Amino acid sequence: MRTGRDQYSAIYSAQLEAEAKWLAIGAVEKANSIERLVSPWLSHPKRIVELGAGTGAIIAELQRRNFADAYVAVDYSSDATEYMKRNLMNVEVLRADIVEEPVYGAFDVVVVSHVLEHLESPDNFLAALVRNLDFRFAVIECPLEDLAASRLKNRFRNRYQNLAGHVQFFNRRSLSAVLRRQLKIVDSRHYSSWASPEPARFLADRAALPRPKRWINHPPLGFLPPGTAPLWNGAWAGDAACRGSEIG
């Protein structure tokens, strides 16, 4: 089975610009999560670090909002870090694997957004985060894919053969259980990134899906009434962001 890291290495090597566009689409809601979970406790962080920053879309959106004084972006991929160095301003960009090495300095906020689902061992990653970083809060977000509709679809497909390179599949309970082994969860946000048609259409176009299959794979497509979102984001596809602090 191809690892999540292998998948992203291939994406960064062959589809870097397309991936940057996709990450920029999702960055607004991910930045919303960070603001909602951090700002009531810390109005303007001095230093923030994102682990698995990819093309830097979330950092760029937080910069646009003047969320913090200083930003650090970390990724294991040389393609990703070189892209960020070319396209981000006033951001410290580091190529590193935090499971193997520390990131030095103190941080008010650590962001880990849509990373755990790509890892063979989220536990090892989270243990390294606590061990190798000095931080006040961590905001960790993942897609929720172990839901009723996904379980039904998985009867007819191999869920590990997905274009995103996901190897972990969470629901709210299982994600919380993983995080609580290393962090104290103090707040959370549950939402759906499919509330507008743009994400679904982009993914359908990128995968070159024929029209009938677009509705099978991405039924909301931004056309369902907004009031129905709580129903289908708990059964079909959702996202969960949690703010945690070190235990003890």
Side-chain angles (χ1 to χ4, degrees):
M1 184 177 69
R2 196 179 209 186
T3 68
R5 177 170 288 196
D6 290 341
Q7 179 76 9
Y8 254 87
S9 293
I11 289 172
Y12 287 146
S13 176
Q15 304 176 43
L16 186 56
E17 292 297 334
E19 184 66 12
K21 183 177 180 180
W22 164 242
L23 295 176
I25 290 172
V28 173
E29 277 300 333
K30 292 169 186 175
N32 287 345
S33 291
I34 296 164
E35 278 195 326
R36 292 185 190 186
L37 294 174
V38 172
S39 294
W41 300 80
L42 190 63
S43 61
H44 190 77
K46 288 184 169 56
R47 198 162 182 246
I48 180 174
V49 60
E50 184 182 4
L51 306 178
T55 58
I58 297 174
I59 291 281
E61 178 62 23
L62 292 173
Q63 279 187 309
R64 189 186 68 78
R65 303 179 188 202
N66 192 31
F67 179 74
D69 288 336
Y71 303 86
V72 179
V74 180
D75 205 280
Y76 77 92
S77 165
S78 58
D79 289 320
T81 53
E82 288 303 315
Y83 182 92
M84 288 190 285
K85 288 176 182 178
R86 292 194 304 270
N87 290 279
L88 298 179
M89 295 182 62
N90 301 317
V91 176
E92 182 181 357
V93 177
L94 302 175
R95 183 186 178 194
D97 181 345
I98 69 136
V99 174
E100 304 293 338
E101 55 192 306
V103 176
Y104 294 103
F107 300 95
D108 288 317
V109 183
V110 178
V111 174
V112 180
S113 186
H114 288 237
V115 171
L116 297 188
E117 67 271 21
H118 298 281
L119 303 178
E120 283 66 35
S121 180
D123 285 314
N124 286 349
F125 176 87
L126 292 169
L129 185 156
V130 172
R131 182 179 65 249
N132 288 337
L133 277 85
D134 178 8
F135 65 95
R136 184 173 177 185
F137 297 126
V139 176
I140 300 175
E141 178 169 321
C142 287
L144 301 179
E145 299 172 296
D146 184 21
L147 303 175
S150 295
R151 295 187 199 112
L152 178 62
K153 288 198 296 182
N154 290 336
R155 292 176 179 267
F156 308 99
R157 66 177 186 180
N158 181 348
R159 68 179 183 176
Y160 293 101
Q161 293 177 347
N162 62 82
L163 296 176
H166 294 179
V167 296
Q168 304 291 336
F169 304 89
F170 297 107
N171 54 48
R172 293 177 74 179
R173 180 178 296 179
S174 62
L175 176 60
S176 295
V178 169
L179 297 181
R180 284 195 174 102
R181 288 197 281 270
Q182 301 295 337
L183 297 163
K184 178 182 177 182
I185 297 177
V186 292
D187 203 355
S188 64
R189 179 195 183 208
H190 180 212
Y191 75 100
S192 176
S193 57
W194 303 90
S196 69
E198 188 177 15
R201 283 174 173 160
F202 180 88
L203 287 181
D205 289 342
R206 187 171 176 179
L209 294 179
R211 187 171 296 276
K213 199 168 184 180
R214 289 171 182 241
W215 284 98
I216 295 171
N217 281 22
H218 307 297
L221 284 175
F223 296 124
L224 292 181
T228 66
L231 298 175
W232 53 260
N233 73 17
W236 190 275
D239 300 83
C242 298
R243 179 170 61 84
S245 59
E246 292 189 65
I247 297 173

